[in-house]
Amino acid sequence: MKSTLPLLAVLTLMSHADELDFGVARAQWYSYGDLESQDGGDDLELQLWRLQSPLSKPIQLADSLYFMPAMRYELMDYQGPAAGKGVFEDELHMIELPLLFVYQESNSPWSYNARISPGLSSDMHSVSGDDVFIDARLGATYQVNDKLNINFGVAYTRAIGEPQVFPYLGFVYEMNDQWQFALRGFSFEARCQVSDAWIVRFIGEAGGGYWNIDTPDSDYLTLQTYRAGVTVERELKGNLWLVAGAGYAMANQVRWVSDSGKKLHREDFDGGAYFTVGLRLGDW
């Protein structure tokens, strides 16, 4: 038990190429208002349900090597433009099993991390090898002092649509007991601990996804969106928090892509409001 306690602190400070926080269980719902097409097509309507959880506490594999598995499930209710003419409506699923490895020597300001995330992203009408994906991240974190760490690395991810390789640079700055600022990949957060039972977060993050779709017109659907908003959290009991928030979704885009990677249809949408509510179980 003694050897895992320092890692729990490290995990909350590590860089990830999306919003997934290890050690946090979460059930969240997002609702987007009607997003109007900039190309004269049909509006885009989205509802997103997300469930994520660690599968165990950190497991020590060697003197300085730790392992932590997690899971995430997302259900996207999509109503928007089809690859051809008309409207496409369906429920899109994403199941992911992120596997995080951390190497950290005692008394060293450096830690190194590798994350492999196999998963399934599909409409589930027919499942094949085309529905399977693997995301990966490789990075390092340097603890500058008690208040600041810097992290960097490279990620192969579908965080903003089609799988791509991105370098990333981030930080976590604990200004004082009340304020924390963090940049992790495509996510920025300013957190204010108003009191022991209230937290306010100012968030900017990438959303979207990439699904294999069983239609005669296309093979893959790509969704890109960026959210900027505010969430308010209230502790209910025993580190269980109620989360509610709202904000603005911008740079919204849908792309239909063939199996060879050819773009068959692209449509951009105006920005619009989104709302979210959920429950969060704090770090172990």
Side-chain angles (χ1 to χ4, degrees), residues 244-266:
Y248 190 75
M250 65 195 81
N252 306 296
Q253 186 182 95
V254 168
R255 295 188 297 274
W256 289 91
V257 184
S258 70
D259 190 43
S260 63
K262 180 182 177 181
K263 290 182 176 61
L264 303 176
H265 179 71
R266 166 180 163 171

Side-chain angles (χ1 to χ4, degrees), residues 18-19 54 69 107 110 155 191 198 201 206 222 224 248 282:
D18 59 13
E19 74 293 337
N107 303 318
W110 287 95
R191 186 189 71 186
W198 289 93
R201 302 178 192 264
T222 295
Q224 172 190 290
Y248 190 75

Side-chain angles (χ1 to χ4, degrees), residues 36-58:
E36 294 186 3
S37 172
Q38 298 178 0
D39 305 308
D42 294 291
D43 292 350
L44 178 65
E45 298 181 29
L46 302 170
Q47 304 281 334
L48 172 65
W49 289 263
R50 174 182 296 148
L51 177 65
Q52 70 177 56
S53 176
L55 297 179
S56 78
K57 293 185 178 182

Side-chain angles (χ1 to χ4, degrees), residues 1-189:
M1 183 67 177
K2 181 179 178 182
S3 62
T4 65
L5 289 177
L7 180 64
L8 294 177
V10 171
L11 287 172
T12 63
L13 301 177
M14 290 187 59
S15 172
H16 308 295
D18 59 13
E19 74 293 337
L20 181 63
D21 291 321
F22 282 80
V24 176
R26 185 190 307 273
Q28 196 86 13
W29 168 72
Y30 293 87
S31 178
Y32 295 77
D34 291 353
L35 305 175
E36 294 186 3
S37 172
Q38 298 178 0
D39 305 308
D42 294 291
D43 292 350
L44 178 65
E45 298 181 29
L46 302 170
Q47 304 281 334
L48 172 65
W49 289 263
R50 174 182 296 148
L51 177 65
Q52 70 177 56
S53 176
L55 297 179
S56 78
K57 293 185 178 182
I59 300 168
Q60 186 172 7
L61 301 178
D63 287 344
S64 303
L65 182 62
Y66 302 87
F67 167 67
M68 187 172 182
M71 65 77 62
R72 176 166 57 175
Y73 170 71
E74 290 184 356
L75 170 63
M76 175 72 77
D77 189 348
Y78 173 96
Q79 180 177 330
K85 296 181 179 179
V87 176
F88 178 76
E89 298 181 44
D90 208 345
E91 293 181 348
L92 309 176
H93 306 262
M94 192 277 292
I95 305 168
E96 184 179 15
L97 295 174
L99 308 174
L100 177 65
F101 297 86
V102 179
Y103 181 83
Q104 182 190 26
E105 294 183 346
S106 300
N107 303 318
S108 172
W110 287 95
S111 64
Y112 307 92
N113 61 87
R115 175 176 159 188
I116 302 172
S117 301
L120 190 72
S121 190
S122 173
D123 58 6
M124 296 298 186
H125 296 312
S126 63
V127 178
S128 68
D130 292 335
D131 300 276
V132 176
F133 68 86
I134 297 180
D135 284 0
R137 296 101 163 103
L138 185 64
T141 300
Y142 180 73
Q143 192 74 38
V144 179
N145 52 45
D146 292 340
K147 293 182 177 294
L148 174 67
N149 77 49
I150 298 173
N151 46 71
F152 56 89
V154 62
Y156 176 74
T157 177
R158 303 163 303 110
I160 58 171
E162 290 112 314
Q164 298 181 64
V165 176
F166 294 97
Y168 65 86
L169 177 66
F171 66 89
V172 177
Y173 176 55
E174 297 271 0
M175 188 173 72
N176 51 42
D177 292 339
Q178 186 177 26
W179 282 96
Q180 180 197 82
F181 302 89
L183 175 65
R184 300 184 181 99
F186 297 104
S187 175
F188 174 79
E189 176 183 283

